[in-house]
Amino acid sequence: MKLKSILVASFIATLTLMSCSGEDGEQGPQGMQGQTGDTGATGPTGAIGEDGNANVNRISIDLSDVDEGEAIVPFAVPELTAEVLQTHIVLFYLEGDSGNTIFYTLLPGVDIFTGLNFYLSMIEGGVTLFITDTQGSPAGLPAGIFSYLHVVMIEYSASSPSGKTSKAHFANHLKQSGVDINNYNEITEHFELQ
């Protein structure tokens, strides 16, 4: 009986050792996804970033070559591309010197120091400045007062259903941000164009 017990034990041990050898079988199917856990607490809000000047350009056109008395003054502005005319608000400012004060006049508009009216015609690649007196008659650009025509091009996001944003809408947005569109210094400071 002892011999029989040893043989049975040897047989069981052999079967056990043989069943552990050999290659692994194929991977079984993916199990089901477990339940999602609870959402964690919201973290602290980060600091508000500074306003940047992405997509804002300024060009300064020297007026020293403009002849005194010219009432219609064309300027080549190659930066005024078809794309810019469709996607940017374009602001024009005349820089002048009254003798003791540097001043800026938003165009189109009336210059308070000379009383002259300034109008613009803007096309792809250029702008024409028209100057009239208070009666609407052509008037020349006075000598020694105006030094630069500043062109500020600000890309905007289309927010209306028509895909266009008006200058008035943009001016209102700036006003809500504390920026006066008539004030060249505030525009350059806001868009970091200094």
Side-chain angles (χ1 to χ4, degrees), residues 39 95 159 164 190:
T39 301
E95 178 181 331
S159 60
K164 298 192 179 204
H190 180 75

Side-chain angles (χ1 to χ4, degrees), residues 36-100:
T36 302
D38 293 335
T39 301
T42 301
T45 300
I48 296 174
E50 293 182 25
D51 288 337
N53 65 352
N55 305 318
V56 178
N57 295 309
R58 175 183 58 182
I59 302 161
S60 296
I61 300 170
D62 187 352
L63 300 178
S64 63
D65 291 336
V66 176
D67 292 333
E68 178 182 353
E70 283 193 54
I72 300 174
V73 186
F75 298 100
V77 185
E79 294 85 354
L80 290 176
T81 63
E83 180 182 352
V84 166
L85 294 175
Q86 293 176 358
T87 61
H88 289 64
I89 298 292
V90 183
L91 303 173
F92 295 89
Y93 297 89
L94 271 177
E95 178 181 331
D97 187 345
S98 68
N100 58 3

Side-chain angles (χ1 to χ4, degrees), residues 3-148:
L3 180 62
K4 207 178 199 185
S5 295
I6 291 176
L7 283 177
V8 170
S10 294
F11 179 71
I12 291 175
T14 303
L15 281 177
T16 303
L17 291 174
M18 285 178 58
S19 65
C20 291
S21 66
E23 295 182 22
D24 290 338
E26 291 182 26
Q27 179 71 26
Q30 177 70 28
M32 294 183 56
Q33 179 71 28
Q35 290 184 335
T36 302
D38 293 335
T39 301
T42 301
T45 300
I48 296 174
E50 293 182 25
D51 288 337
N53 65 352
N55 305 318
V56 178
N57 295 309
R58 175 183 58 182
I59 302 161
S60 296
I61 300 170
D62 187 352
L63 300 178
S64 63
D65 291 336
V66 176
D67 292 333
E68 178 182 353
E70 283 193 54
I72 300 174
V73 186
F75 298 100
V77 185
E79 294 85 354
L80 290 176
T81 63
E83 180 182 352
V84 166
L85 294 175
Q86 293 176 358
T87 61
H88 289 64
I89 298 292
V90 183
L91 303 173
F92 295 89
Y93 297 89
L94 271 177
E95 178 181 331
D97 187 345
S98 68
N100 58 3
T101 303
I102 301 293
F103 63 92
Y104 300 91
T105 302
L106 176 65
L107 304 180
V110 177
D111 174 54
I112 62 171
F113 289 100
T114 63
L116 296 173
N117 296 303
F118 292 91
Y119 304 96
L120 295 165
S121 174
M122 182 173 47
I123 61 169
E124 184 177 343
V127 63
T128 301
L129 183 61
F130 299 93
I131 308 162
T132 66
D133 62 17
T134 56
Q135 304 301 314
S137 298
L141 189 66
I145 295 178
F146 298 102
S147 53
Y148 292 97

